[in-house]
Amino acid sequence: MKKLMQAFVAIVIVSALLLVAINRLNASAGYSGDNTLTVYNWGDYIDEELIEQFEEETGITIIYETFDSNEAMMTKIEQGGTSYDVAVPSEYTIEKMIEQDLLIELDHSKLPNLENIDERFMDLAFDPGNKYSVPYFWGTVGIVYNKEMLGDMTFSSWDDLWNPSLENEILLVDGAREVIGMGLNSLGYSLNDTNKDHLQEATEKLKTLTPNIKAIVGDENKLLMANEEAAVALVWSGDASEIMFENENLDYAVPEEGSNLWFDNMVIPSTARNVDGAHQFINFMLDAEVAAQNTEYVSYSTPNKEALKLMPEDMVKDERFYPSPELTEKLEVYENLGKENLSYYNDLFLEFKMYRK
Ligand code: SPD
């Protein structure tokens, strides 16, 4: 009887240990159960205190992973190895994900804080009725530059980047649409151009910028600019805003030929395992106080009109980062150009990168 009891106790202990190990393995592989939520976001795109706050308020543990391009994010979701519950793609990628059945429809009744979002950012062409996505941050693509290092140089035109005095001074964001788009814009073409001759012409023009390019980088661009290791960078507006708080010699401009207006929205991928938790997380991020804290930390532009009321006036009134609707109407939103055209953009970007080596 004693032996039987010992065997029973041993089985109970081994089973408990196995359960703990399985849970740990699941968590590290990103398998969300009821009590975990796997969030997939751009790097440097959340105040991590808010993750803790959400965990405390809901008892849900967040597994947080980051990506640095829409393309990398989408490939990972398509592969399906990790069950992401929430992701934050940009508009043209959202359109592509809807088309490929990679997103689930949102239940708006679980997102009461959606009323905090400015109408201007709702119901956009890439997701009519916000069936699949809700606004997180938005912005433009432009040039951040160091006034002290460059004297009276300004950047009203993309062509200003080709000034020979900028030799080895320019950082480019590591994004195919942004860089090829800059080439297209500088030639007066649309950011959504799919004419192969135009795209080739833009790439050839970009190759002539090579002597001025210091590096093609991700989030490191902020440190390099803040530390004055480069004088100019092609960036997403929020990155400029963040480093301008750190270095007062920096300024931000959107060239007059035009540029990109972009939107990053929260979605629930079709692989999600914790759909209810995903709605809770999205609703939490839409809360006015949470969005204000997140915006002050991340420095990107918030679409949350109630959050804006809680933020410092100098931030909200800065037209460089909160351009008026009249200004944004002149900018172009990336469209989903289809698989073939998008891979042509990626191939040209690679060709341009290889040319530099
Ligand atoms: N470090 C956060 C970067 C977020 C950039 N999103 C902009 C995407 C524009 N297509």
Side-chain angles (χ1 to χ4, degrees), residues 152-172:
D152 53 10
M153 196 178 282
T154 55
F155 293 88
S156 54
S157 164
W158 289 111
D159 279 340
D160 293 327
L161 292 175
W162 272 260
N163 189 322
S165 70
L166 293 178
E167 188 176 346
N168 202 31
E169 285 295 355
I170 302 178
L171 303 173
L172 295 183

Side-chain angles (χ1 to χ4, degrees), residues 41-45 67-68 70 88-93 137 139-141 177-178 219 222 236 239 242 260-264 298 300 334:
N41 198 356
W42 294 83
D44 287 354
Y45 221 28
F67 57 85
D68 57 13
N70 280 299
V88 190
S90 311
E91 67 302 294
Y92 70 97
T93 309
F137 282 120
T140 56
V141 167
R177 295 289 305 252
E178 285 75 10
D219 284 327
K222 291 182 278 187
W236 294 304
D239 285 354
E242 182 183 339
N260 168 234
L261 172 69
W262 56 262
F263 307 96
D264 288 341
V298 174
Y300 274 70
Y334 296 138

Side-chain angles (χ1 to χ4, degrees), residues 44 55 249 297 301 333 352:
D44 287 354
E55 290 180 326
N249 294 332
Y297 182 89
S301 311
V333 178
F352 164 67

Side-chain angles (χ1 to χ4, degrees), residues 177 181-182 184-185 189-193 259-260 332 334 345:
R177 295 289 305 252
M182 174 184 79
L184 287 168
N185 267 165
Y189 298 136
S190 160
L191 284 177
N192 295 307
D193 204 329
S259 186
N260 168 234
E332 265 184 299
Y334 296 138
Y345 268 72

Side-chain angles (χ1 to χ4, degrees), residues 222-285:
K222 291 182 278 187
L223 199 64
L224 291 169
M225 285 301 293
N227 290 346
E228 307 201 331
E229 285 175 56
V232 189
L234 174 76
V235 289
W236 294 304
S237 49
D239 285 354
S241 163
E242 182 183 339
I243 51 180
M244 279 162 60
F245 282 110
E246 289 165 37
N247 185 329
E248 57 182 24
N249 294 332
L250 300 174
D251 204 352
Y252 178 72
V254 175
E256 281 159 14
E257 294 99 338
S259 186
N260 168 234
L261 172 69
W262 56 262
F263 307 96
D264 288 341
N265 281 17
M266 294 179 276
V267 298
I268 305 183
S270 43
T271 53
R273 299 217 178 160
N274 190 353
V275 174
D276 196 55
H279 281 91
Q280 285 185 61
F281 180 78
I282 292 174
N283 195 49
F284 172 80
M285 294 312 296

